[in-house]
Amino acid sequence: MASPPTSKRQRTGKSDAPEPGSSSLSTKLRPVVVFAHGAGAPSSSEWMVRWKDKLENALQAVEVITFDYPYMSGVKRRAPPKAEKLIDYHLDVVKKASEKYPDHPLILAGKSMGSRVSCMVAALKDSGVSAVVCLGYPLKGINGKVRDETLLQLKTPIMFVQGSKDGLCPLEKLDAVCKKMDCVNKLHVIEGGDHSFKIAKKHLQLSGTTQDEAEDHAVQAIAMFASESL
């Protein structure tokens, strides 16, 4: 009789995060990162540009490639379609990135909706994805339903960075999903953070930390995850 599977889920915190500069991918081939935006803001938004720089530095990436889904084009911006409708376009960007850097590990990263589509692409057969980084995964749908189907199909290592006050991803629900997933998965919680990791001033005062420090801990945890996964 086969032995029962061991838990693959790990939650990171400040004690787990490496010191700045201590986690390095310099002994391995530098990854290429395809970074997808969320539903409401394009790749040129301040948040996306800032986190693109963070990922590039933390992962020592050869390039962090950002793009806009087609619905973002035009004078009048349209509402985003269902995530499933964005897979083909996202996959085309991923294929071009793989062709440009054929021998480099491929990491898919995404903000909110972009992280969900990234997981859908990574779950495809022969996607070639080495790891996924989800920044504010929208686990709960508009109707309140837990959208875990794609996550339960994944075989690729995945990391979630979530704000503890993110209404789209209650931590207890994500915790339950992570325990059922059939891949290595890690969770880093930004205490007091909302869906975009913004922490209220009152919480910052009580915790004795700053917004930058909280995000730096998350970035360090991402670097450690990549170092262990690639």
Side-chain angles (χ1 to χ4, degrees):
M1 180 181 296
S3 300
T6 57
S7 174
K8 296 182 180 180
R9 176 186 168 275
Q10 300 181 38
R11 176 167 171 166
T12 70
K14 289 186 178 181
S15 60
D16 301 296
E19 293 299 319
S22 64
S23 178
S24 174
L25 296 174
S26 59
T27 58
K28 302 178 182 179
L29 209 55
R30 294 165 62 192
V32 56
V33 181
V34 175
F35 185 23
H37 64 77
S43 62
S44 59
S45 69
E46 185 276 335
W47 196 98
M48 283 291 295
V49 172
R50 187 161 54 86
W51 274 88
K52 176 183 178 181
D53 291 341
K54 288 179 182 292
L55 292 174
E56 187 169 27
N57 292 330
L59 301 175
Q60 300 177 31
V62 63
E63 186 178 358
V64 176
I65 298 170
T66 57
F67 63 96
D68 287 344
Y69 291 114
Y71 75 87
M72 281 286 181
S73 64
V75 177
K76 185 176 181 180
R77 186 176 298 171
R78 293 168 288 169
K82 290 184 177 181
E84 292 81 1
K85 298 289 186 180
L86 301 173
I87 294 175
D88 287 345
Y89 189 88
H90 196 134
L91 181 60
D92 186 58
V93 176
V94 169
K95 288 180 177 179
K96 289 177 180 177
S98 297
E99 291 170 358
K100 186 176 180 180
Y101 300 102
D103 298 321
H104 291 256
L106 174 63
I107 296 177
L108 301 190
K111 165 75 170 83
S112 189
M113 180 194 72
S115 69
R116 188 162 175 247
V117 183
S118 294
C119 289
M120 292 177 176
V121 171
L124 297 175
K125 185 178 180 181
D126 300 325
S127 67
V129 176
S130 300
V132 182
V133 176
C134 299
L135 305 176
Y137 191 86
L139 183 64
K140 194 170 69 171
I142 296 176
N143 60 2
K145 181 182 177 181
V146 173
R147 301 181 293 193
D148 60 357
E149 296 86 355
T150 300
L151 296 178
L152 298 180
Q153 295 172 9
L154 275 179
K155 305 296 181 183
T156 306
I158 183 171
M159 179 165 192
F160 300 95
V161 178
Q162 301 290 151
S164 65
K165 295 186 179 296
D166 183 354
L168 293 180
C169 189
L171 293 180
E172 69 277 6
K173 293 185 181 297
L174 179 60
D175 184 71
V177 173
C178 286
K179 290 177 179 177
K180 295 188 292 183
M181 291 175 67
D182 192 28
C183 64
V184 173
N185 58 85
K186 289 190 176 184
L187 167 64
H188 180 88
V189 176
I190 297 180
E191 295 296 339
D194 63 11
H195 188 56
S196 294
F197 309 149
K198 182 67 175 177
I199 305 172
K201 290 183 179 179
K202 184 176 181 179
H203 184 94
L204 290 174
Q205 292 171 349
L206 291 174
S207 64
T209 189
T210 67
Q211 182 74 42
D212 287 341
E213 288 172 342
E215 292 185 358
D216 284 346
H217 282 296
V219 170
Q220 292 161 19
I222 292 171
M224 177 174 283
F225 163 75
S227 182
E228 294 171 348
S229 301
L230 300 183

